Amino acid sequence: MAEIIIDRKQQIQLVAQNLFRTKGYGASSMRDIAKEVGIEAASLYNHFSSKEDLLKEICFGMANHFFTSIEPIEKKKFSAKQKLEKMIECHVAVIVSNIDASSVFFHEWKHLKEPFLGEFKSLRNKYEKKFIQIINEGFEQKLFRKVDVKIVSFTIFSALNATYDLYKPNGKLSAKDISKNISDIIINGLKPTN
Amino acid sequence: MAEIIIDRKQQIQLVAQNLFRTKGYGASSMRDIAKEVGIEAASLYNHFSSKEDLLKEICFGMANHFFTSIEPIEKKKFSAKQKLEKMIECHVAVIVSNIDASSVFFHEWKHLKEPFLGEFKSLRNKYEKKFIQIINEGFEQKLFRKVDVKIVSFTIFSALNATYDLYKPNGKLSAKDISKNISDIIINGLKPTN
DNA sequence: ATATTTGACTAACGAACGTTAGTTATTTTA
DNA sequence: TAAAATAACTAACGTTCGTTAGTCAAATAT
């Protein structure tokens, strides 16, 4: 049984992620976080400059994960369909290996203040555009039936971004099961093939 | 121009819905709500017994809307496919005509305390089961390709329940556009028909 | 070995929170 | 018309909040 050593800063962030997810940012106090870690609230400020700083680290850390995970795929010479499937797979993989942080990324970012709020939104937008571009390529190459691209990307993200609620670490469904099924539903629909 | 008369209680709830949606339940104070209404915080207690009472009214009011909207469909003799399409349409219609309240219903319910929290969850579950049942009927009648029912219902709800973010009162997309497209994507997928 | 940095502590600040009590003018009911 | 209910107000309560200041022992660097 290998002991996993993590430093205090990381430990605090993990606790904060979990509390922000389960209770929400506003309802999680610095004292709550400190108690869970086993130190005093004031000691948190030796590691993070403010409560918002904690939120910032979580949100931008996740943004970074999402971007780097799809980077290799963008460079490859896949078809739009293959690319979309792979990107969906990566996206879900990032989510399920960061369940708490993902939930915070999706729901608590709005408590960021400027300038981070604007910066965050623009990052999010940039990421979504990468998916929209691939879907548009799929239309051009006649790989996809023509439907409203905004609604398609929206449907995909809505489904993907809720997977942190569907995936249970010791459940039946693996990350690959989930991403495979969602890709499949979006691309093939529910209609029988005959 | 007909003047719309609403009573104080209703006005307070509308303001609260909007604040809870935009700032979150925890970050919205009774003083915030009161200021927006134009009265003092203490006066809110002439209409609602507590802050949680406000949240409760919003959440359970929406639950009621969702249930009653699909009631007529359940009784009709439609095919599973037709039923699913109609239920999706109703669900989206309820959302877009209650944008703020929907957002609260989907994201802020977790701030309810027992016994309302449990009651809420069980209502939500009961509602989702109605969709799952229809999807299962679709499988039995070979109207739908066999895929994991849990993931299908999850994908549908994720997409539908995010529509409060997609729909803009004066935007291009109508409620029907949105529900029609989402139904279409889920049922037919992106694959070309040829 | 000495100096410095780190990371914990206690104590406390001012602000904001949900809520209650008590009062009063207006509106509705009997 | 008198009585009762309604809905607003001011003032204040106890609590919790994020955060800062100041202290001190242990770990690290010189």
Side-chain angles (χ1 to χ4, degrees):
Chain A
M1 183 106 86
E3 193 73 36
I4 297 171
I5 308 285
I6 55 172
D7 66 8
R8 254 298 138 82
K9 180 160 184 172
Q10 205 174 336
Q11 184 194 5
I12 292 167
Q13 186 171 324
L14 288 175
V15 167
Q17 284 170 7
N18 184 258
L19 281 175
F20 290 171
R21 180 203 174 177
T22 52
K23 304 181 33 171
Y25 177 76
S28 307
S29 73
M30 294 298 266
R31 287 169 177 84
D32 289 336
I33 298 168
K35 179 175 265 182
E36 194 86 4
V37 174
I39 59 178
E40 292 298 316
S43 304
L44 295 172
Y45 291 84
N46 287 319
H47 305 277
F48 293 91
S49 67
S50 66
K51 191 184 173 189
E52 194 201 4
D53 187 37
L54 254 166
L55 180 61
K56 199 201 318 166
E57 290 286 318
I58 298 168
C59 290
F60 284 83
M62 282 306 297
N64 193 49
H65 275 139
F66 283 122
F67 273 107
T68 55
S69 82
I70 62 166
E71 212 170 81
I73 299 165
E74 298 180 272
K75 292 171 183 161
K76 292 230 174 76
K77 284 219 176 63
F78 288 153
S79 73
K81 191 180 157 214
Q82 283 173 314
K83 270 193 184 175
L84 186 59
E85 283 170 347
K86 284 283 176 197
M87 282 164 71
I88 287 175
E89 189 183 320
C90 284
H91 188 85
V92 172
V94 170
I95 291 172
V96 302
S97 48
N98 300 274
I99 301 267
D100 289 335
S102 294
S103 177
V104 174
F105 177 88
F106 292 126
H107 295 311
E108 308 298 330
W109 58 267
K110 64 175 152 190
H111 295 108
L112 287 169
K113 293 194 178 22
E114 297 296 356
F116 306 111
L117 181 61
E119 203 179 311
F120 178 86
K121 285 196 216 166
S122 107
L123 272 179
R124 211 175 188 301
N125 235 312
K126 195 171 141 200
Y127 183 73
E128 288 178 9
K129 285 224 175 89
K130 287 177 185 292
F131 281 73
I132 289 178
Q133 195 200 310
I134 302 296
I135 296 167
N136 274 326
E137 279 179 29
F139 290 153
E140 285 160 23
Q141 297 168 25
K142 312 274 188 203
L143 292 172
F144 297 152
R145 193 165 56 88
K146 185 78 186 164
V147 276
D148 189 302
V149 66
K150 183 82 192 148
I151 297 184
V152 174
S153 72
F154 190 84
T155 302
I156 292 174
F157 274 115
S158 303
L160 297 185
N161 295 350
T163 50
Y164 67 83
D165 245 2
L166 186 59
Y167 176 79
K168 306 289 172 203
N170 297 318
K172 293 176 201 163
L173 297 166
S174 71
K176 194 123 186 183
D177 286 338
I178 292 173
S179 58
K180 195 94 185 46
N181 269 281
I182 294 178
S183 288
D184 188 46
I185 292 166
I186 301 286
I187 293 175
N188 296 315
L190 287 177
K191 197 185 244 173
T193 46
N194 57 29
Chain B
M1 182 106 85
E3 192 75 33
I4 298 172
I5 308 283
I6 54 174
D7 65 8
R8 255 297 138 80
K9 179 157 184 174
Q10 206 175 336
Q11 184 193 6
I12 292 168
Q13 186 171 324
L14 288 175
V15 166
Q17 284 169 7
N18 184 258
L19 280 175
F20 291 171
R21 180 203 174 176
T22 52
K23 305 180 31 170
Y25 178 76
S28 307
S29 73
M30 293 299 266
R31 286 168 178 85
D32 289 337
I33 297 168
K35 179 175 265 182
E36 194 85 6
V37 174
I39 59 176
E40 292 298 315
S43 304
L44 295 173
Y45 291 83
N46 286 318
H47 305 276
F48 293 91
S49 67
S50 66
K51 191 183 174 190
E52 195 200 3
D53 187 37
L54 255 166
L55 180 61
K56 199 203 317 169
E57 289 287 319
I58 298 167
C59 290
F60 284 83
M62 282 306 298
N64 193 49
H65 275 140
F66 282 123
F67 273 106
T68 55
S69 83
I70 61 167
E71 212 170 83
I73 299 166
E74 299 180 271
K75 291 170 184 163
K76 292 232 174 77
K77 283 220 177 63
F78 288 153
S79 71
K81 191 180 157 215
Q82 283 173 314
K83 270 194 185 174
L84 185 58
E85 283 171 345
K86 284 284 177 197
M87 282 164 72
I88 287 175
E89 190 183 318
C90 284
H91 188 83
V92 171
V94 171
I95 291 172
V96 302
S97 49
N98 300 273
I99 301 265
D100 289 336
S102 294
S103 177
V104 174
F105 177 87
F106 292 127
H107 295 310
E108 308 298 331
W109 58 268
K110 64 176 150 188
H111 296 110
L112 288 169
K113 293 195 180 23
E114 297 297 356
F116 306 111
L117 181 61
E119 204 179 312
F120 179 87
K121 285 196 216 166
S122 107
L123 271 179
R124 211 176 188 302
N125 235 314
K126 195 171 140 201
Y127 183 73
E128 287 179 10
K129 285 224 174 90
K130 288 177 185 291
F131 280 73
I132 289 177
Q133 195 200 309
I134 302 297
I135 296 167
N136 274 327
E137 279 179 29
F139 290 153
E140 285 159 22
Q141 297 167 23
K142 312 275 188 203
L143 292 172
F144 297 152
R145 192 164 57 86
K146 185 79 187 164
V147 277
D148 188 304
V149 66
K150 184 82 192 148
I151 297 184
V152 174
S153 72
F154 190 84
T155 301
I156 291 175
F157 274 116
S158 304
L160 297 185
N161 294 350
T163 51
Y164 66 83
D165 244 2
L166 185 59
Y167 176 78
K168 307 290 173 201
N170 296 319
K172 294 175 202 166
L173 298 166
S174 71
K176 193 122 185 186
D177 286 338
I178 292 174
S179 58
K180 195 95 187 46
N181 269 280
I182 294 178
S183 288
D184 188 46
I185 292 166
I186 302 286
I187 293 176
N188 297 315
L190 288 177
K191 197 185 246 173
T193 46
N194 59 29

